[in-house]
Amino acid sequence: MAMAATSRDADVFDEAVRGTCDDASLCKRYAVSIGYWKDPYIEYFVRQPKERKAPEISRGYYARVQGVSQLLTAFLKKTECNCQIINLGAGLDTLFWKLKDENLLPKKYFEVDFPSIATRKIHHIKSKPPLSKPIMESHSGESLLIDAHSLDSSRYAIISADLRELSKLEESLKKCNMDPQLPTLLVAECVLIYMTAEHSSALLRWATSTFPTAMFINYEQVNMADRFGQIMIENLQSRQCNLVGVEVCSSLESQRARFLASGWQTARSVDMMDVYSRLPPADVKRIEALEFLDEKELLEQLMHHYCLCWATKDTCGLGLADIGL
Ligand SMILES: C[S@@+](CC[C@H](N)C(=O)[O-])C[C@H]1O[C@@H](n2cnc3c(N)ncnc32)[C@H](O)[C@@H]1O
C-alpha cells in the first residue's frame, strides 16, 4: 500500500539534497588538487577528500566547469559586465572569487541556497581572510550587512531561501538590491532535478516574467529513462535522495522544451560528451595526461547522462540568442 509522504520524509529528503553540495565541492576540490583546473579558493570550503575520485568523474567536472564558464563569459562580454548573476542552489561554489580575480565581476553577484548551506558558507567567509578580503575590496558605500544567514555587500550577496517559495525568494533578492531591469544571468548546476517539475517550471516562469533581458544556464542530468539513468537514480535513492524532477531530464529535447514552455524565447541543449569533444584539443590532451583512464566507455556513458541547456529572453536586443559553445 502506498503511504503518503509526511513532513518528516520531506525534511529527510531536503537534508539529503543539501548533502549533495558537499559531494560537488569534494569532487571539484579533488580535481583541482590533481591539476585539472585552477581554483585557489575551494580549499577554504572543503577538505581534501580521503579517497581518490575516479578519473571519469574529474574529467566530467572539467567539462562542466569549462562549459558553464564559456557560456557565462560570453554573457558577461555581451553585457560588458553591466548585468547581474543569480546563482541558484550555489552551494559552496567559488565563482564570485574567480570572476573578481579575472576582473569580470557583474554589477552584483547573488547566491541562493537553503539556510543551513548559506550559514556554513558565511561562516567560512567570516573566518578566512582569503575569502573575506576580495568581498571587502569590491565593497563600497554603506556598511556591509552580515549575519548568520545572509550577507549583503555592494557586489556580492548570499541569500537563504527555498527556491520553491518564489515570493519569499523575490523579496529577499529585492532587499539585496536585485534590479529586474538589468540583464540577468541565472545559473543552476545540478539543482532543478531536486525539485518537482511543477516547482522548477514555476521558477523558470518567475524568471522570464521578472527579468525582461535574461539568460539561464542549466547543467544537470539527461537521458535518464535508460538503464544507466536508472542506476544513477537508484544510487541516489540509496542515500535518501530522490530525483523528484527526473521526468524533465529524459532527453535533450525535454530539457529545451521546459524552457520554451515557461516563456523563454530560445533554448539550446547539448550533452556533455558533445561539450567535451568541442573543448580545445590542447586542453583535452593536457587533462587526459593527468590520470590514466581505463574505461573510456564509462566516461562516454556518464557524459551522455549530463547536459548543458541555455535559454534566453532578449527584450533589449543584446544578441543573447547568438551565445553558444
Ligand atoms: C548538487 S548541489 C550543487 C551546488 C552547486 N550548484 C555546484 O555546482 O557546486 C545542489 C545544491 O542545490 C541546493 N538546493 C536544492 N534544492 C534547493 C531549494 N529548493 N532551495 C534552495 N537550494 C536548493 C542544495 O542545497 C545544494 O547546495
Side-chain angles (χ1 to χ4, degrees):
M1 188 176 71
M3 306 255 284
T6 64
S7 68
R8 196 182 162 275
D9 293 338
D11 289 348
V12 169
F13 169 61
D14 280 358
E15 193 49 44
V17 170
R18 287 187 280 271
T20 62
C21 132
D22 290 318
D23 288 345
S25 301
L26 282 167
C27 290
K28 287 183 191 166
R29 165 104 205 232
Y30 184 80
V32 166
S33 75
I34 301 286
Y36 282 85
W37 71 94
K38 289 200 172 70
D39 182 344
Y41 300 102
I42 194 152
E43 65 181 89
Y44 301 112
F45 288 113
V46 272
R47 289 204 193 95
Q48 176 71 354
K50 289 200 179 80
E51 312 90 50
R52 65 182 280 280
K53 304 274 174 196
E56 58 271 14
I57 303 282
S58 297
R59 287 191 197 179
Y61 269 90
Y62 180 78
R64 162 177 173 178
V65 168
Q66 298 304 313
V68 171
S69 168
Q70 277 178 33
L71 293 171
L72 187 127
T73 308
F75 180 86
L76 289 167
K77 292 211 166 118
K78 282 266 185 220
T79 58
E80 297 174 346
C81 294
N82 191 18
C83 63
Q84 58 194 354
I85 297 180
I86 306 179
N87 193 334
L88 303 164
L92 302 173
D93 200 282
T94 55
L95 189 59
F96 167 79
W97 289 270
K98 175 176 177 267
L99 293 177
K100 160 95 172 47
D101 284 349
E102 292 173 354
N103 221 358
L104 278 177
L105 272 189
K107 283 202 145 174
K108 190 139 179 178
Y109 183 93
F110 301 87
E111 291 185 343
V112 182
D113 212 303
F114 283 121
S116 63
I117 305 288
T119 302
R120 270 174 59 198
K121 193 158 193 176
I122 291 168
H123 173 74
H124 287 301
I125 292 172
K126 273 191 186 159
S127 56
K128 294 168 188 162
L131 297 178
S132 54
K133 215 170 137 244
I135 298 173
M136 302 308 287
E137 281 168 4
S138 61
H139 181 70
S140 58
E142 288 167 27
S143 61
L144 183 148
L145 298 174
I146 184 160
D147 60 30
H149 308 294
S150 61
L151 181 159
D152 187 24
S153 76
S154 41
R155 304 296 285 277
Y156 177 54
I158 300 181
I159 289 163
S160 289
D162 186 327
L163 298 168
R164 296 165 294 190
E165 297 176 5
L166 295 171
S167 51
K168 284 192 197 156
L169 170 68
E170 180 164 333
E171 193 188 319
S172 305
L173 284 164
K174 282 193 170 150
K175 259 196 206 152
C176 294
N177 296 323
M178 178 267 280
D179 176 0
Q181 294 312 314
L182 267 184
T184 301
L185 175 62
L186 300 113
V187 183
E189 281 186 64
C190 285
V191 176
L192 301 185
I193 196 164
Y194 298 112
M195 302 164 70
T196 61
E198 290 73 31
H199 280 129
S200 65
S201 80
L203 179 65
L204 301 188
R205 200 170 281 289
W206 165 80
T208 41
S209 58
T210 306
F211 306 107
T213 305
M215 174 163 157
F216 199 116
I217 304 176
N218 183 38
Y219 169 87
E220 71 179 350
Q221 288 86 338
V222 73
N223 296 324
M224 292 297 278
D226 67 13
R227 182 73 200 116
F228 192 86
Q230 195 54 41
I231 294 170
M232 288 166 71
I233 296 170
E234 284 162 13
N235 278 344
L236 275 152
Q237 265 170 351
S238 69
R239 296 155 53 196
Q240 313 267 10
C241 205
N242 274 337
L243 300 177
V244 290
V246 77
E247 68 195 74
V248 201
C249 303
S250 59
S251 66
L252 289 173
E253 190 42 41
S254 63
Q255 285 283 4
R256 252 168 42 76
R258 71 168 359 165
F259 281 94
L260 298 174
S262 314
W264 291 82
Q265 291 167 344
T266 71
R268 286 152 79 184
S269 54
V270 289
D271 79 30
M272 294 312 287
M273 200 55 224
D274 207 343
V275 174
Y276 193 71
S277 64
R278 293 183 208 194
L279 292 173
D283 292 355
V284 174
K285 196 170 166 212
R286 182 185 69 77
I287 64 144
E288 290 192 349
L290 291 173
E291 290 180 288
F292 176 68
L293 176 73
D294 203 9
E295 291 238 38
K296 286 243 161 56
E297 230 175 76
L298 183 56
L299 173 76
E300 286 182 17
Q301 271 192 316
L302 203 58
M303 296 277 214
H304 280 308
H305 286 81
Y306 284 92
C307 73
L308 264 174
C309 183
W310 62 102
T312 63
K313 179 185 174 193
D314 194 356
T315 311
C316 286
L318 296 176
L320 299 181
D322 304 337
I323 293 178
L325 287 170

